[in-house]
Amino acid sequence: MQQLAKGFWTLRGDFRVAGVVNIGTQMSLVRRKNGRFLLLDSYHPDADDLHALLDVTEGGTAIDAVLNLHPFHTVHCEAIARLCPNARHFGTRRHHKEVPEIAWDPQLIEDPASQNQFADDLDFSIPSGLDFVSDDNKVHVSSILARHRRSGIVHVDDTFVVWDPPALVEPILPAPRLRFHPMLSKALKKEPGAADAFARWAMNLASEWADTRIVCAAHSAVYELEPESFEREVLSALQRVEGTLDAHRADMNTPT
């Protein structure tokens, strides 16, 4: 468990696809204004991180709620529910369906009314123009992004990835930077205007969260940005997918 700023810790661990390829996963711990805590997403940490987590949160009793922000991240939810039996457990509609054994809070975390309960501590954003839950279970692009207001750290699962070039080619390639998930084309809603809606969302996010200094991305890295560079990086990421958005616009405008 690594403390990234006052009131924000990241826990990062293993998640293996088909039991072989380790793509990693994450959970974040944030301290609320009232001194208590929230967990962002669910991951059952190793012994050392678990000890650190319980030490900071008074054995877990100081955790008010667990906010599961990605509809397809469900594997560790039961373990965290057992670890924090007195916390409120928020999930998406898909969490309720896939892990019915948990005593979920009846309010869905994708609903603004649920998010407003944590507005003193967190800002939330859901990408426009994307299927929040795709019909294709392999498409995990959309998620709820959360930004800890006190530290300015963004917790994001699959929507953004951090591209970090291998050390051998690092001298000739740009430094780590944000990119949108490579399956963006499959996540765009099959309706006119979806590409434009996504582009507007990205531009608004770049502006509204411009002072972000750290991005915690689930399956890639913790990325510490240069001062005042978040807006530039998001707009650059948007520019990189302009071809994908143009192709979607053309496809949706083709007469049937």
Side-chain angles (χ1 to χ4, degrees), residues 44-239:
H44 193 269
D46 62 23
D48 289 342
D49 279 354
L50 179 60
H51 177 79
L53 174 66
L54 295 179
D55 185 56
V56 170
T57 62
E58 301 174 19
T61 61
I63 298 174
D64 284 336
V66 181
L67 313 184
N68 291 282
L69 302 172
H70 194 301
F72 285 92
H73 288 194
T74 59
V75 172
H76 294 277
C77 291
E78 285 188 80
I80 293 301
R82 290 192 296 269
L83 185 68
C84 309
N86 297 320
R88 299 170 69 190
H89 292 267
F90 287 82
T92 67
R93 188 176 303 279
R94 189 176 186 278
H95 283 94
H96 287 227
K97 177 182 177 181
E98 295 296 318
V99 199
E101 299 82 5
I102 293 176
W104 294 107
D105 194 284
Q107 300 178 79
L108 302 176
I109 194 58
E110 62 262 44
D111 292 342
S114 301
Q115 298 171 10
N116 286 342
Q117 298 176 55
F118 308 102
D120 284 347
D121 304 291
L122 299 169
D123 296 316
F124 298 92
S125 185
I126 301 177
S128 301
L130 303 185
D131 290 319
F132 186 57
V133 177
S134 174
D135 291 336
D136 184 344
N137 284 343
K138 296 180 180 178
V139 178
H140 301 172
V141 179
S142 190
S143 63
I144 305 170
L145 286 71
R147 182 177 183 276
H148 185 219
R149 302 185 70 177
R150 184 178 182 183
S151 66
I153 297 177
V154 169
H155 172 107
V156 55
D157 290 318
D158 292 10
T159 308
F160 281 109
V161 297
V162 177
W163 183 75
D164 193 357
L168 289 176
V169 297
E170 188 174 1
I172 60 174
L173 290 175
R177 59 184 177 186
L178 294 180
R179 292 186 177 182
F180 288 112
H181 193 283
M183 297 187 76
L184 175 65
S185 62
K186 297 182 181 296
L188 287 163
K189 293 181 178 180
K190 302 300 187 291
E191 60 187 39
D196 293 331
F198 178 79
R200 285 193 300 271
W201 168 80
M203 289 186 286
N204 288 337
L205 187 82
S207 175
E208 292 170 3
W209 292 5
D211 59 347
T212 294
R213 289 295 306 275
I214 297 177
V215 175
C216 295
H219 304 307
S220 45
V222 173
Y223 181 22
E224 186 170 352
L225 296 97
E226 295 296 324
E228 301 180 1
S229 67
F230 180 77
E231 183 171 18
R232 181 176 68 251
E233 293 235 13
V234 174
L235 295 180
S236 177
L238 181 61
Q239 186 176 28

